[in-house]
Amino acid sequence: MNKMANYIVSLAAVVLFAGCASGPDFKTYSSTLAPPKGGESRVWFYRPSKIIGSAVQPTLCINDSPVAKAQPGCFFYTDKPPGTYELKCSTEWADKAQLTVVENRTAYVRLSLLPGVFVGHILPKVVPEEQALKEIQGCRLITADGMNKDWKPPVN
């Protein structure tokens, strides 16, 4: 291979693995957590795709409060009291979903990449536990506290 081909292959490898997390898998990590505080429920967020759209990593907001970046191949969580919440990821436009948290019931939200006009966007979707537990297995924790280690709240 010539130098240009080597460069292109190396660059492709960097882009491919740039968004991958190296934390523990879901089964290992979730088994170590204490249950949510009394009256709260755990909400797991995951983005199973690791390759397609790895540069698209918008911030997930719950009721307009930033939670974490939607990184490919990753999962994170938050504990919430019962209620209805708006989930939103914004790129060229905001994709929204409604989440109803029920006391002492775990919820799962899949973050799926959809094509956009200029850039892809992330669609949050509440999914049944059976489906989520199959899809989340290949994902890795972003950091040990369930948040992105590199993520910082946007400055308004």
Side-chain angles (χ1 to χ4, degrees):
M1 249 194 273
N2 65 29
K3 288 183 181 183
M4 185 61 152
N6 284 336
Y7 175 76
I8 291 171
V9 169
S10 296
L11 182 62
V14 168
V15 170
L16 176 64
F17 295 109
C20 296
S22 59
D25 62 59
F26 177 77
K27 185 175 181 181
T28 302
Y29 181 72
S30 63
S31 67
T32 67
L33 292 177
K37 292 184 274 182
E40 291 191 345
S41 294
R42 184 148 295 145
V43 182
W44 291 99
F45 298 88
Y46 67 98
R47 183 173 165 194
S49 175
K50 296 178 188 173
I51 298 172
I52 299 172
S54 62
V56 180
Q57 299 181 15
T59 300
L60 171 80
C61 293
I62 299 177
N63 289 351
D64 292 322
S65 294
V67 177
K69 285 179 15 180
Q71 292 187 353
C74 296
F75 69 86
F76 55 93
Y77 73 94
T78 187
D79 294 333
K80 289 290 190 188
T84 300
Y85 298 90
E86 179 182 79
L87 310 175
K88 179 172 60 173
C89 287
S90 298
T91 54
E92 61 187 359
W93 66 77
D95 286 298
K96 300 176 185 178
Q98 293 293 316
L99 169 68
T100 301
V101 174
V102 178
E103 186 174 346
N104 299 320
R105 294 197 57 200
T106 304
Y108 298 88
V109 178
R110 183 178 205 261
L111 304 171
S112 301
L113 178 73
L114 298 174
V117 176
F118 297 106
V119 67
H121 50 106
I122 301 296
L123 175 66
K125 181 180 180 190
V126 179
V127 295
E129 183 174 44
E130 184 177 325
Q131 175 185 348
L133 291 177
K134 289 177 186 174
E135 295 174 335
I136 202 170
Q137 293 307 315
C139 297
R140 297 288 183 173
L141 179 66
I142 296 171
T143 65
D145 64 359
M147 299 292 286
N148 290 75
K149 65 181 177 184
D150 299 323
W151 179 82
K152 298 195 179 17
V155 177
N156 293 334

